[in-house]
Amino acid sequence: MEDEAEVLAMRATVPATTPDISTRGYPYRSVSSQESRSDFHDHRIFKMPASKASEASLPWRPFYLRRIVLLAFITIFLLTVAAIEILLLVSNKNSGIATSNAAQHYLWTYGPTAFLTVLAAFWARTEYQSKLVAPWIRLSQQGIPASRTLLLDYVSPLSVVTFINSCRNRDHLVSIAFVVSTLIKVLILISSSLISLSLTSVSGGSYTMALQDRFIDNNTRLNSTSNLPSFLIHGLASRNLTLPEGISSKYAYQSVRTNLPSTVETRVAVDGLINSLDCEAVDIRLLGAAPPSHYDPRGVMSLNVSISSSHCDIALTRLLGVTQPLSANSTLFARWDQVQCDNVSGDAGKRVLVLFGNITYHVDYAHKINYIAGGLRYDTVGVLDRSTQFLCEPKYAIERVEVTRNGTQTNTVVSIQGAPQRTLDSVAPWDMMDAQFTSAQSGFLQGLDGGSPINVSMVPVEVDQYMELALGLQLVSGFQATSLFDPTVLQRVATGYYQQMGAILAKQSLMEPGLEEIVGSATVNENRLIVRPRIAQVMVGLFAACIVLTTIALFLVPHEGFLPNNPSTLLNLVSILQHSRELVAQLCCAGASDDKHLSRFLKPSIFQSRLGYDSISHRPQYYVESIANEEEMKPDMVPQISSKAAYPIILHPASRFTLCLSVVSLIIALELLLYKSNLENGLGDVGSAIYIHYSWAVIPALVFGSLSMAFSSVDFEVRNLAPYVAMKRYVSRDKFAQLELLDMTLPKAIYRETKLGTPWASATTTAFLIASLFTTFSASLFQELPVPIITSINLMANQSFCISRDNAYDASSSDQVTSLILEGNYSFPRFTYQDLACHV
């Protein structure tokens, strides 16, 4: 009774109402400010007594703005980040997530995009509810001007405009919800490029393989070697032949047989023999030299030198003479010869002399000699102008090597670090070197009275049979002959030649057939689902930003209710404001006023929501209190005008026609692209540039995402106006209570629109539902795949069949290649196969 007495004591007397004032042409009745306030004082709602204030509370707050829901979003963001990191880790560790094909790739591509699309749909509820309740939250906090409460609209404008206005009004919750929504949309776009289908090498585990041969500790075959090794060296240098199985540029290794497909890359550790040269620089002195000639009784012994070093001295050794060129006196020459150190017998004193020099001949008019043909002639002597030389000892070792093969082609043969080395007891290093000398004496050079000239980058160099093989094998096009004066280059050429020759000799003479099982690994080239690291890192960064922003939003959302019920429906809005008699009186008969006039009228007022006390029901009631600014308040009436109905821009016929035209144009473009792709086996080559691959994935997602946003705007305006359009005709009480289509999921909205009998609204919502899948399916619109292409190229023949009998048969070249193919089972040279020969 005391509380009721307190309430009754708070009632104020109400002055007499003001008389009606003529509207002067306005079709509606105008209401003065004083009259509008009088109705409030006649009502039964009063300020909440202090004794009741602590017990009163409002029950409603948005579901998607509750802290438990935001925590759920944060948890989803964290789990998604963890999933991306795990997928990236698995992809990097296992060369992809899984083996797949083009059809299954679609599922992996749609997966992330579809998940993010669903996540965006749920976050859209959070964004919408933040926009919806922002004015009501401000009303519940303090007295706020009408421009930031009753007149504040975050729902209808474009999202960018809403974001700008929310930042200006410091509605941080709305700003955060918009930014997170935008980040999720960006994530949808780039997620289409997260997983790609690429041809990748994948380790297939351990496989049992069979060794076909093994090294033997016997030098019998090595001592009777044939000239096939030197023929093969010549074929490698000049005939573009390939090395047979079991031989690399350095190693002779055990051959391996597998039953795996030819596309599988295998790795296996086998024994490999490698040769080397232990060389030291020496001093050389020319004792005498003359160009070889059949007139000269000295014959081939026309290049006499002495050699001295710290470990070996040779007083005199005779080398193959250097011929004198017809057009010049100076000659570049290269020699590879076996010499013997003085006072050291056997293999310990044997050395290989590797020499490259420049000799100049001149006539010695002080001496005459008798020639075999008769008569005296002036002697011709040579001067060694410049030279680089080494004395080398051969070495070899058998070690473990890892052989990588792809089908029938050997990719790499590399030494296994730390593996022990061994030699064969019956095979000395000089056995291998002697076999090299034996094989190279194969008659490549015509005559033994002097060297044979070869061209090195158009510069003639006179060589013996060994250096002919070495220079032809080791020197590449464009190599300068004078570079051989560099000791490092000369030693590299000599070592490379001897390693190749030694590998061929060892495979031919030091191995015998033998089957033995061995375990190796296989690498299969498969189409694997690869997680792109850059896209994954960008997505993780965006999700991290979403986590931070959502965490901030946790402290901004209201932790208690601030409204009696949801203000989204018309019925609920009426029930919320039914006790706000002062506000209702101010807005009475102002329904036809446009936003501009209504805003100008309400601008001086300050509003605040309160809990009042109902003197009849003895319950608290929600109401909005209007606090007018008397200095700015004017006594004029609320303008009652028949304003022109606003037409949403997106629903204008021109806008709808543009949207339909865009869809039709996109359909035509897709059909043309599909026709071109089917006709030409693709749209074109994309190369290996990463940004090009991203562009073909992101640009379609961006186009279709923009189209989806356009359909979203149309659907929003239609669903926003649908309740008002429905009320133009009779609406039952049950339907009136459900006249709200925005704050719900799309399937529920379609169901309610169908139930309300608004097929046009159902059509736009269904169109938006379908358009929301555009971005998901656009992820697999373009895909990079290796496609075989048939194209024409121009070939230029640099040889032809000779019809002249003078040049019909090149005996030396033909014999070499024929011997290799028939005796050594080596491959045919280019454009030659069995009984066919083509121009090359």
Side-chain angles (χ1 to χ4, degrees), residues 21-32 584-594 597-598 600-601 636-643:
I21 301 176
S22 175
T23 57
R24 290 178 176 259
Y26 291 108
Y28 304 104
R29 174 178 176 268
S30 298
V31 182
S32 66
V584 172
Q586 285 182 276
L587 299 178
C588 183
C589 300
S593 179
D594 58 12
H597 292 81
L598 188 62
R600 186 173 62 180
F601 172 75
D636 57 346
M637 305 302 110
V638 177
Q640 302 298 325
I641 63 171
S642 179
S643 60

Side-chain angles (χ1 to χ4, degrees), residues 116-431:
L116 291 174
T117 302
V118 174
L119 182 63
F122 281 101
W123 184 263
R125 301 288 303 279
T126 302
E127 183 184 11
Y128 173 78
Q129 291 185 354
S130 69
K131 296 176 181 179
L132 177 68
V133 302
W136 301 99
I137 293 176
R138 284 195 172 273
L139 279 174
S140 65
Q141 293 173 349
Q142 56 185 351
I144 302 294
S147 60
R148 298 176 63 183
T149 51
L150 296 183
L151 299 176
L152 183 61
D153 182 15
Y154 286 142
V155 176
S156 300
L158 295 175
S159 296
V160 176
V161 177
T162 297
F163 175 70
I164 296 174
N165 292 338
S166 64
C167 293
R168 184 183 297 117
N169 296 330
R170 298 182 180 179
D171 286 326
H172 302 301
L173 185 60
V174 179
S175 303
I176 289 175
F178 168 79
V179 172
V180 173
S181 178
T182 303
L183 292 178
I184 295 177
K185 292 175 182 177
V186 174
L187 284 166
I188 293 175
L189 292 178
I190 66 175
S191 66
S192 58
S193 302
L194 177 63
I195 300 176
S196 64
L197 185 65
S198 303
L199 188 64
T200 308
S201 298
V202 182
S203 177
S206 299
Y207 287 89
T208 301
M209 307 175 188
L211 294 177
Q212 295 182 289
D213 49 21
R214 59 177 177 266
F215 289 101
I216 57 172
D217 191 4
N218 192 326
N219 64 354
T220 303
R221 290 162 52 196
L222 192 63
N223 293 333
S224 60
T225 186
S226 67
N227 55 10
L228 280 178
S230 59
F231 281 0
L232 181 55
I233 292 289
H234 190 75
L236 293 172
S238 59
R239 290 292 175 175
N240 197 33
L241 296 183
T242 57
L243 289 169
E245 166 64 17
I247 302 175
S248 70
S249 61
K250 295 181 179 181
Y251 289 94
Y253 57 90
Q254 294 173 288
S255 299
V256 180
R257 185 184 64 198
T258 66
N259 296 324
L260 297 173
S262 59
T263 57
V264 176
E265 182 181 86
T266 59
R267 293 176 182 268
V268 62
V270 298
D271 287 339
L273 186 147
I274 184 171
N275 291 274
S276 60
L277 292 175
D278 185 10
C279 300
E280 65 170 342
V282 297
D283 295 329
I284 192 169
R285 185 166 63 92
L286 183 63
L287 301 178
S293 172
H294 64 277
Y295 298 107
D296 189 353
R298 290 173 294 186
V300 297
M301 296 178 292
S302 59
L303 188 60
N304 301 331
V305 298
S306 66
I307 302 171
S308 62
S309 69
S310 59
H311 298 90
C312 179
D313 293 325
I314 302 174
L316 174 64
T317 186
R318 296 177 174 87
L319 305 177
L320 187 64
V322 181
T323 58
Q324 181 179 7
L326 298 177
S327 59
N329 294 327
S330 180
T331 303
L332 292 175
F333 70 97
R335 293 292 182 265
W336 174 292
D337 207 347
Q338 179 179 334
V339 295
Q340 186 79 30
C341 298
D342 295 342
N343 302 322
V344 182
S345 61
D347 290 349
K350 291 181 180 181
R351 298 289 189 274
V352 174
L353 173 63
V354 180
L355 170 64
F356 181 79
N358 182 23
I359 193 170
T360 302
Y361 287 103
H362 64 87
V363 179
D364 186 2
Y365 292 100
H367 297 86
K368 289 185 178 181
I369 60 173
N370 291 318
Y371 281 83
I372 297 176
L376 295 175
R377 297 193 179 189
Y378 290 108
D379 191 12
T380 301
V381 297
V383 177
L384 189 60
D385 300 322
R386 182 183 180 187
S387 67
T388 300
Q389 56 280 331
F390 297 99
L391 285 180
C392 302
E393 293 184 81
K395 295 181 180 296
Y396 81 91
I398 298 176
E399 59 188 22
R400 298 295 287 178
V401 295
E402 183 183 65
V403 180
T404 303
R405 300 181 70 250
N406 189 358
T408 59
Q409 180 181 359
T410 300
N411 296 336
T412 60
V413 180
V414 296
S415 175
I416 298 176
Q417 297 295 327
Q421 296 182 342
R422 64 185 177 93
T423 59
L424 301 174
D425 296 335
S426 301
V427 179
W430 271 102
D431 292 337

